[in-house]
Amino acid sequence: MKCRDGCGACCIAPSISTPIPGMPLGKPSGVKCIQLTDDFKCRIFGKAERPAVCGELQPSKEMCGKTNVEAYTFLLDLEEATKP
């Protein structure tokens, strides 16, 4: 499955606990990644400095839903369910 253009939910909703270029401490849930462009593309997609968790997160019908709001809600729910 391909990502929906203009979504970016996976770059906003989840927390990332590892360094991201420009965000050395990672990012909290709900905060837009600094590497997400205004047109919702990842500046470091496919590059070595991209966090492993980003590469491991693959789009799916369940995760992405039919709208950006559905994707964001699913990912926030997942974030909450997997808190340590």
Side-chain angles (χ1 to χ4, degrees), residues 3 15 31 44 51 54 56 64 66 72-73:
C3 291
S15 61
V31 172
I44 57 173
C54 297
E56 293 167 1
C64 298
K66 294 181 182 175
Y72 189 78
T73 300

Side-chain angles (χ1 to χ4, degrees), residues 42-50 55:
C42 177
R43 286 184 186 93
I44 57 173
F45 186 85
K47 296 184 179 178
E49 59 266 30
R50 184 176 178 219

Side-chain angles (χ1 to χ4, degrees), residues 23-63:
M23 300 179 99
L25 301 177
K27 67 170 223 57
S29 175
V31 172
K32 179 183 170 187
C33 177
I34 198 168
Q35 298 300 329
L36 186 63
T37 65
D38 290 339
D39 62 347
F40 297 95
K41 307 272 188 211
C42 177
R43 286 184 186 93
I44 57 173
F45 186 85
K47 296 184 179 178
E49 59 266 30
R50 184 176 178 219
V53 69
C54 297
E56 293 167 1
L57 186 63
Q58 297 296 310
S60 68
K61 287 182 183 182
E62 181 182 46
M63 181 178 77

